Amino acid sequence: DENWNYPAGNFTYQVQFTAGAGRDENKVEKTAYTVTVTDEAGKPIANVNLHTLVEDQATPFATKADGIAKIELPTDTYKVTVIIPDGYTTEITEFELTKDKPNYTLKLKKKVIVMADYTVTVKNVDDEPLANVTVVIGSQFGTTDANGKVVLKLEKGNYSAVLTAPEDYVVSDSYAFAENATELTVVL
């Protein structure tokens, strides 16, 4: 009825609360997921960054000094992506964590870096060495000596050299080493 009639005066209401009541229907089951990252010898690798998606949000986590990363998430299946640290390699960059398999161990291989000396010799058309020519290969650079040579140590690979020569000489954009070669002669 729209016309409530309450007597005038002060009223006291008694309300009783029960701790935890009404929460069970909203409770989300959670699982502790663990990722262990080691090298081939079983030594832990710290600071390996991992991430997964939780409700379409990237959720990062990382291994600690013991090589273990722990994260507690709502129970579900998660695809985990590994950010491979410098100096290591692996064929596995993604894996799944599930309620039934909440633990995963990933072994990383140490990356073997093979270095090589790359030699560039710069000469003029009269076959005379050119000194003081700047040579850039990858992230390394140097200047040719009196014999027209510069040697740069780089990770083994296929490269091109970029030269900066005195004004009297015309240079191309770059000079490619032959496949798997470590010596290059440029005539300006």
Side-chain angles (χ1 to χ4, degrees), residues 96 112-113 122 176:
E96 283 190 350
V112 177
I113 298 173
V122 183

Side-chain angles (χ1 to χ4, degrees), residues 3-13:
N3 298 322
W4 292 79
N5 289 324
Y6 292 102
N10 293 328
F11 296 92
T12 302
Y13 294 96

Side-chain angles (χ1 to χ4, degrees), residues 111-126:
K111 191 176 192 181
V112 177
I113 298 173
V114 178
M115 301 299 285
D117 287 336
Y118 286 81
T119 304
V120 176
T121 304
V122 183
K123 299 178 178 184
N124 65 18
V125 290
D126 296 325

Side-chain angles (χ1 to χ4, degrees), residues 7 25 62 76 83 107 116 128 131 135 148 155-156 161 163 174 184:
E25 66 272 4
D76 204 344
I83 310 302
K107 289 191 183 292
E128 299 170 332
V135 177
E155 184 175 343
K156 192 138 178 71
L163 280 60
S174 67
L184 173 67

Side-chain angles (χ1 to χ4, degrees), residues 12-22:
T12 302
Y13 294 96
Q14 184 174 359
V15 178
Q16 181 177 359
F17 292 98
T18 304

